[in-house]
Amino acid sequence: MTIETNTAISVDCAVFGFDGKSLKALLIKRRYSYEDLSSEDLKLPGAMILENETLPEAANRVLEEFTGLTGIYLKQTNIFSAPDRVSEKEMEWICRFHGVNTRRVVTVGYYALVKLNQGMVNYTTRKGAKWIEVDSINSLIMDHLEILADALSTLQKEIVQTPVAFELLPKKFTVYQLQSLFEAVLGVEIDNRNFRKKILSSGIIYPTGEFEKNVAHKPAQYYAFNKSVFRKAMKDRFRLSFINNWTY
Amino acid sequence: MTIETNTAISVDCAVFGFDGKSLKALLIKRRYSYEDLSSEDLKLPGAMILENETLPEAANRVLEEFTGLTGIYLKQTNIFSAPDRVSEKEMEWICRFHGVNTRRVVTVGYYALVKLNQGMVNYTTRKGAKWIEVDSINSLIMDHLEILADALSTLQKEIVQTPVAFELLPKKFTVYQLQSLFEAVLGVEIDNRNFRKKILSSGIIYPTGEFEKNVAHKPAQYYAFNKSVFRKAMKDRFRLSFINNWTY
DNA sequence: ACAAAAGTGTTCCTCTTACACCCATGA
DNA sequence: TCATGGGTGTAAGAGGAACACTTTTGT
């Protein structure tokens, strides 16, 4: 019985952004080619964990490197621990690229949400990263596509139960932007009247009194997220009979 | 920038069982004392991962060791990666006990569900493990109490959305047993008439035609879980407008 | 007879759903 | 004047919540 301690642990981050139309993920080109591994291959931003670092700290370090931001929304998804998840060739590339010497890498998936505006696009572009429409991503290196799919499915679960939607929108947003975000993330169409009714009656967003300007249609009002009402709603939920939330 | 590859990865399993009255967890005494670490200290079953093993494989290995069963319900919860989650003294104990030489252990929490019957209790007792009422557990070694709390909260979320309840019950069970399980896991009281109405009309359990014998009250009918109806119900759910499941 | 759990119906009310038109603005 | 998205109400139906008594059995 051999105990394996020569295992490196890495984090890989699926970073999502919303441009008002579609859901995008932040991808980077594999830097440096190695044999027939192409530098055109796309990957998720990631890193090996350092000696005195927790996994969330490592993930935050990666996020700061590529977005320049700290304190952005971050949540662990799954662990990918198959001994053969990294091919021999990829393993050689990893050891060379990261300057490590290890026989195995277990990676922990994270998903992160950022407010995607022009400044963010400029920043990530300078870092050599690109925002790609999630629906159009069909190939990434190693098991990164699986990590991304996992992250998307986590986002879909969370967006209907927690206020993560507001992590993807500017501080002030229109009801339509919020609705479009739900539609993009969940891949469904939503009736606008019912959506407004539900979201506004819940009180978790409030009108700011400001309106769009210079738009070729009736200007929409900007709303903002009401944290305290949301927290109250969460507490209330636990006072309801459980049967309320039961979904069999 | 030092890359840490001398990190061991372990799994710790919170194993739950239901005895008809209360929810219990499987705990083992720390074997072998070391300095002032007591052999009376309780811990979750766990192990270091082996060289060619995935994390779920390691968790299943631990479960088989303590319960004699394979293929039991198992799900990953969280990762505990704080560099100081294991004190120096505990670290020495770990290296001695597991025969490893490492400076850091990152652990992955799993939760597992087993059918708790007399045979199971006999088996685990022979293995030196004990079933302890979850409500009464208030101290475990290292961060195992946190791992257990995490697992419980995962179970509470899952039991109302997936058929995990049936992993904790015998193949044939009464409606009351099922209700008691929900009450024990969620810590709530449930109206019996509404519970029956909901569970029976959903069709996810069906009457077997068998009844209790030798009980000092009207004998209850035994029911069984209907997998195919459950799967159909899951599919249907995704045809509903998302707003249906929305919980703001 | 009594103790103990099994089993059963109804009413009220809230929430979800489905659905179509006019409004304000810039081009 | 037209194109674009903003914004509004109502009626029908389904599902959740609250609530109390009779039945069957063993002791």
Side-chain angles (χ1 to χ4, degrees), chain B residues 176 193 196-197 217-218 220-221 243-244:
Chain B
Y176 230 88
R193 281 166 294 186
R196 298 183 93 85
K197 218 183 310 174
H217 56 77
K218 180 172 175 179
Q221 186 165 185
I243 243 176
N244 209 19

Short mmCIF file of all heavy atoms in Angstrom, two decimals, chain B residues 176 193 196-197 217-218 220-221 243-244, chain C residues 3-10 16-17:
data_model
loop_
_atom_site.label_atom_id
_atom_site.label_comp_id
_atom_site.label_asym_id
_atom_site.label_seq_id
_atom_site.Cartn_x
_atom_site.Cartn_y
_atom_site.Cartn_z
N TYR B 176 -45.31 6.27 7.38
CA TYR B 176 -44.88 6.93 8.61
C TYR B 176 -43.36 6.93 8.76
O TYR B 176 -42.77 7.91 9.21
CB TYR B 176 -45.52 6.27 9.83
CG TYR B 176 -46.15 7.29 10.71
CD1 TYR B 176 -47.46 7.70 10.49
CD2 TYR B 176 -45.43 7.91 11.73
CE1 TYR B 176 -48.04 8.68 11.27
CE2 TYR B 176 -46.00 8.89 12.50
CZ TYR B 176 -47.31 9.26 12.27
OH TYR B 176 -47.87 10.26 13.04
N ARG B 193 -51.58 14.26 7.07
CA ARG B 193 -52.52 14.17 5.95
C ARG B 193 -51.95 14.80 4.69
O ARG B 193 -52.04 14.25 3.59
CB ARG B 193 -53.83 14.87 6.33
CG ARG B 193 -54.70 14.02 7.19
CD ARG B 193 -55.78 14.82 7.82
NE ARG B 193 -55.23 15.79 8.77
CZ ARG B 193 -55.99 16.55 9.56
NH1 ARG B 193 -57.29 16.48 9.49
NH2 ARG B 193 -55.42 17.39 10.40
N ARG B 196 -49.10 12.50 3.25
CA ARG B 196 -49.61 11.35 2.50
C ARG B 196 -50.13 11.78 1.14
O ARG B 196 -49.90 11.13 0.12
CB ARG B 196 -50.75 10.69 3.26
CG ARG B 196 -50.37 10.14 4.59
CD ARG B 196 -51.57 9.44 5.21
NE ARG B 196 -51.55 8.02 4.89
CZ ARG B 196 -50.87 7.13 5.59
NH1 ARG B 196 -50.18 7.50 6.64
NH2 ARG B 196 -50.89 5.86 5.24
N LYS B 197 -50.91 12.88 1.18
CA LYS B 197 -51.51 13.36 -0.06
C LYS B 197 -50.42 13.62 -1.10
O LYS B 197 -50.47 13.15 -2.23
CB LYS B 197 -52.26 14.67 0.22
CG LYS B 197 -53.54 14.84 -0.53
CD LYS B 197 -54.17 16.22 -0.23
CE LYS B 197 -54.27 16.51 1.25
NZ LYS B 197 -54.73 17.88 1.54
N HIS B 217 -51.19 -1.87 17.09
CA HIS B 217 -52.03 -0.82 16.49
C HIS B 217 -52.42 -1.29 15.10
O HIS B 217 -51.92 -2.32 14.63
CB HIS B 217 -51.31 0.52 16.45
CG HIS B 217 -49.99 0.46 15.72
ND1 HIS B 217 -49.90 0.43 14.35
CD2 HIS B 217 -48.72 0.37 16.18
CE1 HIS B 217 -48.63 0.37 14.01
NE2 HIS B 217 -47.88 0.33 15.09
N LYS B 218 -53.25 -0.55 14.45
CA LYS B 218 -53.64 -0.90 13.08
C LYS B 218 -52.38 -1.09 12.23
O LYS B 218 -51.56 -0.19 12.14
CB LYS B 218 -54.50 0.23 12.51
CG LYS B 218 -54.97 0.01 11.09
CD LYS B 218 -55.97 1.10 10.71
CE LYS B 218 -56.37 0.99 9.26
NZ LYS B 218 -57.36 2.04 8.91
N ALA B 220 -49.71 -1.00 9.42
CA ALA B 220 -49.50 -0.08 8.30
C ALA B 220 -49.09 -0.85 7.06
O ALA B 220 -48.45 -1.90 7.15
CB ALA B 220 -48.42 0.93 8.65
N GLN B 221 -49.46 -0.32 5.92
CA GLN B 221 -49.05 -0.97 4.69
C GLN B 221 -47.62 -0.60 4.35
O GLN B 221 -47.17 0.51 4.63
CB GLN B 221 -49.98 -0.56 3.52
CG GLN B 221 -49.68 -1.34 2.26
CD GLN B 221 -50.76 -1.27 1.19
OE1 GLN B 221 -50.67 -1.91 0.19
NE2 GLN B 221 -51.79 -0.47 1.43
N ILE B 243 -39.88 29.63 -13.75
CA ILE B 243 -40.44 30.44 -12.69
C ILE B 243 -41.11 29.56 -11.64
O ILE B 243 -41.20 29.89 -10.46
CB ILE B 243 -41.41 31.48 -13.31
CG1 ILE B 243 -40.86 32.87 -13.04
CG2 ILE B 243 -42.82 31.33 -12.81
CD1 ILE B 243 -41.66 33.98 -13.66
N ASN B 244 -41.52 28.42 -12.08
CA ASN B 244 -42.12 27.40 -11.25
C ASN B 244 -41.26 27.02 -10.05
O ASN B 244 -41.75 26.79 -8.96
CB ASN B 244 -42.28 26.17 -12.13
CG ASN B 244 -43.43 25.35 -11.67
OD1 ASN B 244 -44.30 25.86 -10.97
ND2 ASN B 244 -43.44 24.10 -12.05
P DA C 3 -55.22 4.65 28.22
OP1 DA C 3 -55.16 4.18 29.62
OP2 DA C 3 -55.69 6.02 27.89
"O5'" DA C 3 -53.79 4.43 27.56
"C5'" DA C 3 -53.15 3.17 27.69
"C4'" DA C 3 -52.45 2.80 26.39
"O4'" DA C 3 -53.36 2.13 25.48
"C3'" DA C 3 -51.87 3.99 25.62
"O3'" DA C 3 -50.57 3.59 25.18
"C2'" DA C 3 -52.83 4.15 24.44
"C1'" DA C 3 -53.21 2.70 24.18
N9 DA C 3 -54.48 2.47 23.49
C8 DA C 3 -55.67 3.12 23.69
N7 DA C 3 -56.66 2.66 22.94
C5 DA C 3 -56.06 1.65 22.19
C6 DA C 3 -56.57 0.78 21.21
N6 DA C 3 -57.83 0.78 20.80
N1 DA C 3 -55.71 -0.10 20.67
C2 DA C 3 -54.43 -0.11 21.08
N3 DA C 3 -53.84 0.67 22.00
C4 DA C 3 -54.72 1.52 22.52
P DA C 4 -49.52 4.64 24.67
OP1 DA C 4 -48.47 4.75 25.68
OP2 DA C 4 -50.24 5.85 24.20
"O5'" DA C 4 -48.89 3.94 23.39
"C5'" DA C 4 -49.53 2.82 22.80
"C4'" DA C 4 -49.34 2.81 21.30
"O4'" DA C 4 -50.62 2.51 20.69
"C3'" DA C 4 -48.89 4.15 20.68
"O3'" DA C 4 -48.06 3.87 19.57
"C2'" DA C 4 -50.20 4.77 20.24
"C1'" DA C 4 -50.99 3.54 19.80
N9 DA C 4 -52.43 3.71 19.86
C8 DA C 4 -53.14 4.62 20.60
N7 DA C 4 -54.44 4.54 20.43
C5 DA C 4 -54.60 3.51 19.53
C6 DA C 4 -55.73 2.94 18.94
N6 DA C 4 -56.98 3.32 19.20
N1 DA C 4 -55.54 1.92 18.08
C2 DA C 4 -54.30 1.52 17.81
N3 DA C 4 -53.14 1.99 18.31
C4 DA C 4 -53.37 2.99 19.16
P DA C 5 -47.04 5.02 19.01
OP1 DA C 5 -45.69 4.47 19.13
OP2 DA C 5 -47.41 6.33 19.59
"O5'" DA C 5 -47.42 5.09 17.46
"C5'" DA C 5 -47.16 3.93 16.65
"C4'" DA C 5 -48.23 3.81 15.63
"O4'" DA C 5 -49.52 3.89 16.26
"C3'" DA C 5 -48.20 4.90 14.55
"O3'" DA C 5 -48.04 4.27 13.30
"C2'" DA C 5 -49.54 5.60 14.71
"C1'" DA C 5 -50.39 4.49 15.34
N9 DA C 5 -51.57 5.00 16.01
C8 DA C 5 -51.64 5.95 16.99
N7 DA C 5 -52.86 6.23 17.38
C5 DA C 5 -53.64 5.41 16.60
C6 DA C 5 -55.04 5.22 16.54
N6 DA C 5 -55.92 5.90 17.30
N1 DA C 5 -55.51 4.30 15.66
C2 DA C 5 -54.62 3.64 14.89
N3 DA C 5 -53.30 3.74 14.87
C4 DA C 5 -52.87 4.65 15.76
P DA C 6 -48.45 4.78 11.91
OP1 DA C 6 -47.61 4.14 10.90
OP2 DA C 6 -48.56 6.24 11.99
"O5'" DA C 6 -49.92 4.16 11.81
"C5'" DA C 6 -50.07 2.81 11.50
"C4'" DA C 6 -51.30 2.61 10.61
"O4'" DA C 6 -52.46 3.12 11.31
"C3'" DA C 6 -51.24 3.35 9.29
"O3'" DA C 6 -51.76 2.49 8.28
"C2'" DA C 6 -52.07 4.60 9.50
"C1'" DA C 6 -53.05 4.19 10.61
N9 DA C 6 -53.31 5.24 11.61
C8 DA C 6 -52.39 5.95 12.33
N7 DA C 6 -52.93 6.80 13.18
C5 DA C 6 -54.30 6.63 13.00
C6 DA C 6 -55.41 7.24 13.59
N6 DA C 6 -55.33 8.19 14.54
N1 DA C 6 -56.64 6.84 13.18
C2 DA C 6 -56.73 5.89 12.25
N3 DA C 6 -55.74 5.24 11.62
C4 DA C 6 -54.54 5.67 12.04
P DG C 7 -51.63 2.88 6.77
OP1 DG C 7 -51.81 1.66 5.98
OP2 DG C 7 -50.43 3.72 6.57
"O5'" DG C 7 -52.90 3.82 6.56
"C5'" DG C 7 -54.19 3.21 6.58
"C4'" DG C 7 -55.23 4.29 6.68
"O4'" DG C 7 -55.06 5.03 7.89
"C3'" DG C 7 -55.19 5.33 5.55
"O3'" DG C 7 -56.34 5.19 4.76
"C2'" DG C 7 -55.16 6.67 6.27
"C1'" DG C 7 -55.62 6.31 7.66
N9 DG C 7 -55.16 7.21 8.70
C8 DG C 7 -53.86 7.50 9.05
N7 DG C 7 -53.77 8.36 10.03
C5 DG C 7 -55.10 8.67 10.34
C6 DG C 7 -55.63 9.56 11.32
O6 DG C 7 -55.02 10.27 12.11
N1 DG C 7 -57.03 9.57 11.30
C2 DG C 7 -57.80 8.81 10.44
N2 DG C 7 -59.12 8.95 10.57
N3 DG C 7 -57.32 7.98 9.53
C4 DG C 7 -55.96 7.96 9.53
P DT C 8 -56.39 5.80 3.29
OP1 DT C 8 -56.58 4.68 2.38
OP2 DT C 8 -55.26 6.74 3.13
"O5'" DT C 8 -57.73 6.69 3.31
"C5'" DT C 8 -58.79 6.37 4.21
"C4'" DT C 8 -59.52 7.65 4.57
"O4'" DT C 8 -58.92 8.26 5.74
"C3'" DT C 8 -59.52 8.74 3.49
"O3'" DT C 8 -60.84 9.19 3.32
"C2'" DT C 8 -58.65 9.85 4.09
"C1'" DT C 8 -58.92 9.65 5.57
N1 DT C 8 -57.89 10.20 6.47
C2 DT C 8 -58.29 10.99 7.52
O2 DT C 8 -59.45 11.26 7.74
N3 DT C 8 -57.26 11.45 8.32
C4 DT C 8 -55.91 11.20 8.16
O4 DT C 8 -55.09 11.66 8.93
C5 DT C 8 -55.55 10.36 7.03
C7 DT C 8 -54.11 10.04 6.75
C6 DT C 8 -56.55 9.91 6.24
P DG C 9 -61.43 9.67 1.92
OP1 DG C 9 -62.26 8.61 1.35
OP2 DG C 9 -60.30 10.24 1.13
"O5'" DG C 9 -62.37 10.85 2.39
"C5'" DG C 9 -61.85 11.77 3.34
"C4'" DG C 9 -62.74 13.00 3.37
"O4'" DG C 9 -62.00 14.03 4.03
"C3'" DG C 9 -63.10 13.56 2.00
"O3'" DG C 9 -64.36 14.23 2.11
"C2'" DG C 9 -61.94 14.52 1.71
"C1'" DG C 9 -61.56 15.01 3.11
N9 DG C 9 -60.13 15.20 3.33
C8 DG C 9 -59.09 14.52 2.75
N7 DG C 9 -57.90 14.92 3.16
C5 DG C 9 -58.20 15.92 4.08
C6 DG C 9 -57.33 16.73 4.86
O6 DG C 9 -56.10 16.71 4.89
N1 DG C 9 -58.05 17.62 5.66
C2 DG C 9 -59.40 17.72 5.70
N2 DG C 9 -59.91 18.63 6.52
N3 DG C 9 -60.23 16.97 4.98
C4 DG C 9 -59.55 16.10 4.19
P DT C 10 -64.93 15.16 0.93
OP1 DT C 10 -66.40 15.05 0.93
OP2 DT C 10 -64.16 14.92 -0.30
"O5'" DT C 10 -64.53 16.58 1.52
"C5'" DT C 10 -64.90 16.89 2.87
"C4'" DT C 10 -64.63 18.36 3.15
"O4'" DT C 10 -63.23 18.55 3.51
"C3'" DT C 10 -64.87 19.30 1.96
"O3'" DT C 10 -65.54 20.45 2.42
"C2'" DT C 10 -63.46 19.61 1.47
"C1'" DT C 10 -62.69 19.62 2.78
N1 DT C 10 -61.22 19.42 2.65
C2 DT C 10 -60.38 20.19 3.42
O2 DT C 10 -60.77 21.03 4.20
N3 DT C 10 -59.03 19.93 3.23
C4 DT C 10 -58.48 19.01 2.37
O4 DT C 10 -57.26 18.88 2.29
C5 DT C 10 -59.42 18.24 1.58
C7 DT C 10 -58.93 17.23 0.61
C6 DT C 10 -60.73 18.48 1.76
P DT C 16 -45.69 31.75 -7.62
OP1 DT C 16 -44.36 31.14 -7.53
OP2 DT C 16 -45.86 33.22 -7.75
"O5'" DT C 16 -46.48 31.04 -8.80
"C5'" DT C 16 -46.60 29.63 -8.80
"C4'" DT C 16 -47.31 29.18 -10.07
"O4'" DT C 16 -48.65 29.73 -10.07
"C3'" DT C 16 -46.65 29.67 -11.36
"O3'" DT C 16 -46.51 28.54 -12.20
"C2'" DT C 16 -47.62 30.73 -11.89
"C1'" DT C 16 -48.96 30.28 -11.33
N1 DT C 16 -49.99 31.33 -11.07
C2 DT C 16 -51.26 31.15 -11.58
O2 DT C 16 -51.60 30.18 -12.25
N3 DT C 16 -52.15 32.16 -11.28
C4 DT C 16 -51.90 33.29 -10.54
O4 DT C 16 -52.78 34.12 -10.33
C5 DT C 16 -50.54 33.42 -10.03
C7 DT C 16 -50.16 34.60 -9.22
C6 DT C 16 -49.66 32.44 -10.32
P DT C 17 -45.80 28.67 -13.61
OP1 DT C 17 -45.28 27.34 -13.94
OP2 DT C 17 -44.90 29.85 -13.55
"O5'" DT C 17 -46.99 29.00 -14.62
"C5'" DT C 17 -48.00 28.01 -14.84
"C4'" DT C 17 -49.10 28.62 -15.69
"O4'" DT C 17 -49.70 29.70 -14.96
"C3'" DT C 17 -48.62 29.20 -17.02
"O3'" DT C 17 -49.07 28.31 -18.03
"C2'" DT C 17 -49.28 30.59 -17.08
"C1'" DT C 17 -50.26 30.59 -15.90
N1 DT C 17 -50.47 31.88 -15.16
C2 DT C 17 -51.75 32.37 -15.05
O2 DT C 17 -52.72 31.82 -15.55
N3 DT C 17 -51.86 33.54 -14.33
C4 DT C 17 -50.83 34.24 -13.71
O4 DT C 17 -51.05 35.27 -13.10
C5 DT C 17 -49.52 33.66 -13.86
C7 DT C 17 -48.33 34.34 -13.25
C6 DT C 17 -49.40 32.52 -14.58
#
